[in-house]
Amino acid sequence: MTEQDSKLFEEIKRDHRYIVELRRDFHRHPEIAKEEFRTAERIEEELDKIGLAHKRVGETGVYAEIIGSKKSENTSNSASPKSIVLRADIDALPIQETHICEYTSQTPGRMHACGHDAHTAALLGAARILNNHKDLFSGTIRLTFQSGEEIGYGARIFVDKGFLDGADRTFGIHAASNLPAGKIAAVPGPNNASVDWFRISVKGYPAHVSTPQLGADAVYIASQIVISTQALVTRRTSPMDNVLVGIGTIKAGDTYNIVAQSAELEGTIRAFTPEVRERTKQLLIDISRQTAQMFGGTAEVEYKDFTSPLINDERSSAEVQKTAAKMFGEENIVKSRTASLGGDDFAEYILKVPGCYAYFGTGNPSKEGTTAAHHDSKFDIDEDALIQAVSLYTFYALDYLNQ
C-alpha cells in the first residue's frame, strides 16, 4: 500500500460513523422493489451534500458521475479516458423483521434482509471520498443506485437507457453473511445462477369422478408434469451441468368430486450457463405439452426472464483480487467459492461491460444476526465490514482508472 493509499484508507476509517448512520437510516426505512421513493430521495440528498449532480433512472433508480481531474499520463495517443461503473442495489424485501435493535425496521412487513442498505451506504461513502480526491484519477466514475434487484427489474433499465454505454469496467459488491467479516471473495466465472419464472397452464375436461374416462384430469396431468420435470435434471442434463427446476405452487380443480378441468403450476429454472438455461427451458415446454397430450389435455408455458447467469470476467476478477490483497492482505482474499443458485441482476451489467461482482464478509458469531442467512428475518451485518465495502469501491475504481 502506498503512502497515498494509506492516507485514503485512514480517511475512509474516519468516515465510518457517517456510513454506519446512513446504513441504519436505510435499514429503518426499507422499501421493496419499485417502491424505493424515500430511498432514492435520501440518496439524492447525500449526493447533493457531496456536490454531485444526479438524475433519476426509471422512477426510483439514481445515477451520478465523478469526473477525474488528473492529467492522463498516456498522452502519446488519442485514447479516450477510461470509465468504470459502480453499482449498489437499493431495494428491501417483504419480510417482517424479528431482529430487535436500535435500527429495527419501522415499516411493518418490510426489511433490509439482504444487505442492500449496506451496499447503498458504502457507495455513497465511496462517492464522498472519490469526489474529494478527483485529482487522483483521470476518466469517469459512474455511480448507479439500482432499484428492483430482488425482482430482476432495475439493472436492465440502466442498461437499456444507455448508462453503461462506452464504459470499460463494471463493479459491484454484495454482503455475505457466510463469509467472516474481513474476508473478500472475488471469484472468476459463474457466481450466481440465471433466474427464470414460469407458469404452466394445463387444460383438461371436466367429468364426474365416477366416470373419469369422460374427462381429461388436469390434476393428474399437472402431477405428472411435476414428476417429469425432475427427470429434466437427472436424466436429460449432464451431471456436470448444474441446473435446478423447482415448482413452488399448484392450483387446480373446482370441487372434490369433479375431474379437474384446469391446473396452474408456477416455478423457476436456475442455471449457470446460457446454453443450459435455454436448453432446459425448451425441454420444460416440450415435456409439459407432450405429457398433457398423452392424457387428453393441453399445456402452455409462459416465461419471464428475471436475470441472466452472473459470470465474472476473469481479467476484472484478477484486478479486484489485486486491489483487495493490497488493502487487506492476500490471506483475506477468497479466490474460489461455491457458486449460488440465487440470482443477481448485476449479471446484466457484466453482459454489457466486462466486470466483477465481489462479496465482502459480514458474519461475526459474536454479533447477533450477522451469521443469519440472507432473507432471514433476523439478518444483520457486522458494521465494521462497511470499511471493507467502501474501500473496495474506492480503491478498485482508482486502481482501474490509473492502471
Side-chain angles (χ1 to χ4, degrees):
M1 195 187 305
T2 66
E3 182 180 352
Q4 182 62 62
D5 289 340
S6 297
K7 288 180 179 178
L8 277 182
F9 190 49
E10 288 304 312
E11 192 171 334
I12 289 170
K13 288 192 283 188
R14 287 195 299 271
D15 258 3
H16 183 240
R17 178 45 51 185
Y18 162 73
I19 307 304
V20 167
E21 289 306 318
L22 266 181
R23 181 258 167 173
R24 291 184 176 189
D25 181 61
F26 291 127
H27 195 90
R28 290 188 190 98
H29 304 284
E31 296 172 305
I32 61 173
K34 297 187 178 183
E35 298 179 8
E36 311 99 326
F37 295 101
R38 181 199 183 270
T39 304
E41 289 172 2
R42 282 290 291 116
I43 292 167
E44 290 166 339
E45 287 175 14
E46 293 304 316
L47 292 173
D48 286 338
K49 293 176 186 176
I50 293 167
L52 290 173
H54 49 78
K55 61 179 69 177
R56 285 290 177 100
V57 179
E59 290 191 309
T60 52
V62 181
Y63 176 84
E65 289 184 352
I66 307 172
I67 300 174
S69 59
K70 180 181 179 181
K71 192 166 184 177
S72 176
E73 296 175 3
N74 186 6
T75 57
S76 60
N77 57 50
S78 58
S80 299
K82 292 190 291 187
S83 176
I84 184 170
V85 180
L86 305 181
R87 178 266 210 169
D89 40 12
I90 69 175
D91 55 325
L93 288 154
I95 295 172
Q96 179 63 47
E97 184 163 15
T98 59
H99 174 50
I100 305 304
C101 57
E102 63 180 282
Y103 46 89
T104 297
S105 170
Q106 297 177 10
T107 306
R110 302 286 187 266
M111 179 192 174
H112 271 292
C114 202
H116 297 188
D117 50 346
H119 310 162
T120 306
L123 186 52
L124 285 168
R128 188 155 97 156
I129 297 291
L130 290 164
N131 196 56
N132 286 340
H133 296 281
K134 289 183 283 191
D135 60 316
L136 294 181
F137 65 95
S138 59
T140 303
I141 297 170
R142 308 184 193 183
L143 309 172
T144 61
F145 297 89
Q146 182 214 303
S147 63
E149 185 280 324
E150 294 291 355
I151 61 170
Y153 164 77
R156 286 194 176 102
I157 295 177
F158 277 90
V159 173
D160 292 345
K161 289 185 178 293
F163 289 98
L164 276 69
D165 288 358
D168 302 285
R169 279 290 184 277
T170 54
F171 180 60
I173 63 172
H174 201 294
S177 63
N178 60 358
L179 275 180
K183 298 288 185 181
I184 305 296
V187 180
N191 276 246
N192 294 80
S194 59
V195 179
D196 292 305
W197 167 91
F198 62 80
R199 178 190 290 130
I200 305 171
S201 298
V202 178
K203 299 297 182 184
Y205 302 97
H208 194 276
V209 292
S210 63
T211 55
Q213 75 279 7
L214 301 179
D217 192 345
V219 166
Y220 184 78
I221 294 170
S223 300
Q224 292 299 317
I225 290 173
V226 171
I227 294 169
S228 297
T229 56
Q230 301 314 303
L232 299 183
V233 177
T234 62
R235 289 297 177 267
R236 297 301 306 276
T237 303
S238 167
M240 305 305 291
D241 293 328
N242 292 300
V243 65
L244 178 148
V245 182
I247 293 177
T249 69
I250 300 178
K251 300 174 185 177
D254 298 307
T255 188
Y256 79 100
N257 62 349
I258 300 293
V259 170
Q261 61 182 320
S262 63
E264 188 175 274
L265 306 88
E266 288 185 277
T268 184
I269 293 175
R270 309 291 175 101
F272 288 118
T273 68
E275 296 79 14
V276 172
R277 179 191 195 190
E278 187 57 35
R279 182 173 179 274
T280 306
K281 172 183 175 180
Q282 189 57 53
L283 284 171
L284 181 68
I285 293 171
D286 293 344
I287 204 167
S288 298
R289 290 175 176 173
Q290 291 165 11
T291 301
Q293 184 179 29
M294 185 186 307
F295 296 105
T298 62
E300 294 300 326
V301 182
E302 177 187 355
Y303 262 89
K304 287 183 182 177
D305 166 10
F306 283 173
T307 187
S308 304
L310 194 156
I311 304 173
N312 276 344
D313 173 62
E314 288 196 17
R315 183 173 178 180
S316 305
S317 300
E319 293 165 354
V320 173
Q321 290 171 3
K322 183 177 179 180
T323 293
K326 173 185 72 171
M327 300 308 303
F328 312 117
E330 190 72 38
E331 69 279 7
N332 288 312
I333 312 308
V334 177
K335 298 181 180 180
S336 178
R337 187 166 176 250
T338 302
S340 169
L341 283 165
D344 193 298
D345 69 356
F346 186 71
E348 311 305 330
Y349 279 48
I350 297 177
L351 280 176
K352 177 70 176 181
V353 178
C356 176
Y357 202 42
Y359 288 83
F360 65 102
T362 58
N364 185 339
S366 68
K367 296 184 178 181
E368 184 182 356
T370 65
T371 58
H374 291 250
H375 296 209
D376 189 309
S377 64
K378 295 184 182 298
F379 179 86
D380 201 353
I381 68 164
D382 182 345
E383 292 177 322
D384 289 344
L386 289 167
I387 292 173
Q388 280 77 37
V390 176
S391 298
L392 280 171
Y393 279 132
T394 302
F395 286 100
Y396 179 56
L398 290 173
D399 287 350
Y400 177 72
L401 293 176
N402 288 324
Q403 73 182 8

